[in-house]
Amino acid sequence: MRFDGRMDDELREIEIRIGYLDNADGSAYYRQGNTVVVAGVYGPRLLHPKHLQDPKKAILRVQYDMLTFSVPERKKPGPTRRSIELSKVIRKALESVIMLEEFPRSVIDVYIRVLNADAGTRCASINAAILALADAGIPMKSLISAVAAGKVGQRIVLDLTKMEEDYGKFVPENDYYGPGTATDIPIAYNPLDDEIVLLQMDGEIEKEDFLKAMELGIKGCKEIYQDMRKAIKKKYKVVSIEENQG
Ligand code: UDP
């Protein structure tokens, strides 16, 4: 068994709350184990100043940040090199499915805040953001979903925790995982086009293990996609019943 008792191909528990914030145009709370993220969307609205507008499509702005109290070692408030990079890769993944050409001269703002981090925050952020965009009614070709897979010691596992990411470096080796360190491969996936829209890697891995991890990651993304669909359907079913009663 893994540190938290999961099987190697098992995701952490997922909790989704759509429309979590009252004041944003769309929002979502997304928890995967102890990684908790909230996303709020504003727009589409006309972009000011005018010279930043694109006459052919909307501009997507994404801001990822970890809250000061989201990590064991207090994070200094404000952007970092890491948060700027993550904002960019998350934006690229989201842009692959949002129909930006429907809203020329406009801007769509996506604000993502990590409330609690236990690894996998970029993937949880993509999941929270795409749900918030759906909640805001932004047209998309498909939902995308994201999760990390990788190798811990000698095992190929899905959805690594921070303890697993630190295996062999700050966390001592044990019999279950075997000798070695950890390699983490975040993946975001578009199930409609069977397309990978984000792929990164932290660590080293042999080709055969990389392919096994990818397969596991895509399987995880497909499971999360089903959870997302269920959460969206549940929310909008309730709204339509309430409207009918009103
Ligand atoms: N982390 C931290 N402090 C930081 C940045 C990261 O404690 O300033 C932890 C946090 O748990 C995060 C994990 O390290 O989830 C892995 O960070 P990484 O940069 O690999 O991104 P993530 O896996 O969160 O997408």
Side-chain angles (χ1 to χ4, degrees), residues 35 64 66 70-73 75 82 86 117-123 162 165 184 186 202:
T35 289
Y64 161 102
M66 286 177 131
S70 65
V71 284
E73 208 149 308
K75 188 210 157 262
R82 177 179 176 274
L86 292 199
D118 184 15
T121 64
R122 81 195 62 199
C123 293
K162 179 71 178 150
E165 276 193 9
D184 181 42
D202 190 9

Side-chain angles (χ1 to χ4, degrees), residues 8-235:
D8 291 359
D9 65 349
E10 199 178 332
L11 292 167
R12 288 179 275 182
E13 186 190 50
I14 292 174
E15 184 186 352
I16 295 173
R17 297 193 217 168
I18 296 172
Y20 183 69
L21 306 170
D22 276 346
N23 296 322
D25 293 330
S27 62
Y29 165 103
Y30 184 90
R31 180 179 69 80
Q32 193 153 327
N34 293 324
T35 289
V36 183
V37 174
V38 172
V41 169
Y42 290 86
R45 56 202 160 95
L46 203 61
L47 176 59
H48 294 292
K50 227 174 165 181
H51 69 89
L52 294 177
Q53 293 178 356
D54 184 331
K56 296 216 172 86
K57 60 179 174 64
I59 286 172
L60 184 69
R61 292 193 297 212
V62 174
Q63 201 192 78
Y64 161 102
D65 199 7
M66 286 177 131
L67 296 185
T68 302
F69 49 76
S70 65
V71 284
E73 208 149 308
R74 174 190 176 274
K75 188 210 157 262
K76 199 170 144 220
T80 59
R81 283 173 67 117
R82 177 179 176 274
S83 72
I84 293 166
E85 182 216 319
L86 292 199
S87 298
K88 186 182 169 192
V89 296
I90 294 166
R91 174 171 61 77
K92 288 274 173 201
L94 299 172
E95 275 176 350
S96 70
V97 286
I98 302 174
M99 295 159 92
L100 293 170
E101 60 289 351
E102 302 251 326
F103 306 102
R105 304 188 187 282
S106 304
V107 62
I108 300 169
D109 280 305
V110 182
Y111 298 100
I112 303 164
R113 293 294 179 267
V114 178
L115 271 56
N116 201 68
D118 184 15
T121 64
R122 81 195 62 199
C123 293
S125 295
I126 289 174
N127 297 336
I130 206 81
L131 290 163
L133 285 158
D135 186 42
I138 308 288
M140 291 183 276
K141 287 190 281 180
S142 166
L143 292 174
I144 55 172
S145 53
V147 72
K151 188 172 179 184
V152 180
Q154 295 303 305
R155 306 194 79 92
I156 306 294
V157 298
L158 182 63
D159 192 12
L160 284 71
T161 60
K162 179 71 178 150
M163 235 168 115
E164 288 178 328
E165 276 193 9
D166 289 346
Y167 185 78
K169 286 187 208 146
F170 308 111
V171 174
E173 292 177 357
N174 66 32
D175 285 345
Y176 179 77
Y177 295 95
T181 54
T183 300
D184 181 42
I185 307 169
I187 299 167
Y189 179 69
N190 168 350
L192 200 71
D193 298 334
D194 188 26
E195 187 186 12
I196 287 168
V197 293
L198 174 136
L199 182 63
Q200 296 186 292
M201 188 165 89
D202 190 9
E204 286 174 12
I205 195 164
E206 290 184 357
K207 189 177 165 188
E208 214 172 280
D209 288 341
F210 173 80
L211 293 173
K212 278 189 206 157
M214 285 278 291
E215 202 179 311
L216 199 53
I218 290 171
K219 175 184 156 297
C221 286
K222 286 180 178 167
E223 281 177 39
I224 294 171
Y225 171 74
Q226 291 304 337
D227 283 356
M228 286 177 163
R229 280 179 55 118
K230 263 188 234 154
I232 292 172
K233 276 190 184 166
K234 195 172 152 205
K235 154 113 200 235

